[in-house]
Amino acid sequence: SQTIHQWPATLVQPVGSPLSLECTVEGTSNPNLYWYRQAAGRGLQLLFYSVGIGQISSEVPQNLSASRPQDRQFILSSKKLLLSDSGFYLCAWSTLAGALTGELFFGEGSRLTVL
Amino acid sequence: AQKITQTQPGMFVQEKEAVTLDCTYDTSDPSYGLFWYKQPSSGEMIFLIYQGSYDQQNATEGRYSLNFQKARKSANLVISASQLGDSAMYFCAMRGPMDSSYKLIFGSGTRLLVRP
């Protein structure tokens, strides 16, 4: 069966520090991968999605970046965090068919607090 | 542009009763999909149900059904026979335009609390 893991689960970082969140998927190949952010009390906002290795689409201009160095690995990064980067970050995957029907499978989430 | 609106920030329901969570959407795309996700306090997002814009019948999945009214652009979620475990945040979402069909646009959510 397919599983998705992301880490770290929780982190507290100072403003201006770098960030790296990692997400891996097991049990499937060539998945679509996504990074969403959920601000406190808000819905999810799509940050990046990827349909293949090295293929990244950015939805929101920001100081975050994403990379997909391997088929089932998706990394969210920042060189210098801002206070506004605080939030709950969710990695998700889908098959191509699932992307059309909206059936995404989400990781456990990473809660980032920037101080 | 696509937009999803959930006007109920929070709702209460008595255990074993049915509850309806409202969702309205706006899109000019003739082909779209509508979805509901559940987010328990643990944070993970759980896919519940999907309705395609061309589907003739309302989608159902166990105790979940989607009341799809295309003319009104509404896609309300109905949960029958509420259980304590249904207490969670519920998000309505829509698939974006076909040229970027990977995107899901989410509403702001409704927090449901089931009372024993």
Side-chain angles (χ1 to χ4, degrees), chain A residues 38 43 59 99-102 104, chain B residues 35 37 39 50 91 95 103 107:
Chain A
Q38 184 179 25
E59 292 297 310
L100 297 176
T101 60
L104 304 184
Chain B
F35 322 89
Y37 278 81
Q39 186 179 41
Y50 162 75
F91 291 96
R95 170 166 46 80
K103 290 198 304 183

Side-chain angles (χ1 to χ4, degrees), chain A residues 32 34 36 38 41-46 49 51 59 88 90 96 99-108, chain B residues 33-35 37 39 42-47 50 89 91 95 98-109:
Chain A
N32 289 346
Y34 313 82
Y36 279 88
Q38 184 179 25
R42 307 282 293 276
L44 276 66
Q45 180 187 37
L46 179 64
Y49 69 90
V51 301
E59 292 297 310
F88 190 56
L90 286 155
L96 177 58
L100 297 176
T101 60
E103 187 166 6
L104 304 184
F105 299 94
F106 285 82
E108 308 94 333
Chain B
L34 296 156
F35 322 89
Y37 278 81
Q39 186 179 41
S42 53
E44 77 270 28
M45 295 284 286
I46 304 168
F47 171 82
Y50 162 75
M89 282 289 288
F91 291 96
R95 170 166 46 80
M98 292 304 292
D99 61 347
S100 58
S101 60
Y102 312 108
K103 290 198 304 183
L104 285 187
I105 300 164
F106 284 81
S108 56

